C-alpha cells in the first residue's frame, strides 16, 4: 500500500498542524499517517482527510501488488 498523504500536503503547502486544525483529527493520527507508520485507518478518518484535502481515497492511498505475486 502506498501512502501519498505527505506528498499531497507538500503540494498544498500544508503543515501537520493545518490538517489537525482543519479535520479535528488527533495530532498523533495525522503524524502516523504522514510518516507512513499507521497500521490501520478508520473510515471516518479517511472521510475527514479526503474532505479537507479535496481529494479521493485513491489519491491518498494506492494498492500495489507485491513483486512476488
Amino acid at each position: 500500500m502506498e501512502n501519498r498523504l505527505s506528498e499531497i500536503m507538500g503540494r498544498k503547502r500544508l503543515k501537520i498542524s493545518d490538517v489537525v486544525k482543519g479535520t479535528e483529527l488527533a495530532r498523533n493520527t495525522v503524524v502516523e499517517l504522514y510518516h507512513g507508520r499507521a497500521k490501520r485507518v478508520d473510515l471516518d478518518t479517511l472521510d475527514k482527510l479526503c474532505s479537507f484535502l479535496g481529494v479521493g481515497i485513491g489519491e491518498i492511498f494506492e494498492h500495489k501488488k507485491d513483486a512476488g505475486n
Side-chain angles (χ1 to χ4, degrees):
M1 183 75 61
E2 189 173 324
N3 176 347
R4 294 193 181 107
L5 180 61
S6 63
E7 180 184 321
I8 293 167
M9 287 172 59
R11 278 198 317 262
K12 295 178 177 277
R13 298 187 186 276
L14 293 169
K15 295 183 265 181
I16 289 173
S17 59
D18 298 326
V19 176
V20 168
K21 226 182 274 184
T23 61
E24 298 183 347
L25 293 170
R27 181 174 181 79
N28 189 54
T29 299
V30 178
V31 168
E32 292 296 305
L33 285 167
Y34 180 86
H35 292 290
R37 297 187 301 234
K39 299 290 182 206
R40 298 174 194 197
V41 184
D42 187 72
L43 292 176
D44 186 51
T45 298
L46 287 175
D47 185 50
K48 287 179 180 182
L49 284 172
C50 289
S51 294
F52 178 72
L53 296 170
V55 299
I57 293 172
E59 294 174 72
I60 298 176
F61 295 104
E62 181 182 349
H63 181 263
K64 298 267 188 177
K65 279 191 163 187
D66 290 337
N69 290 342

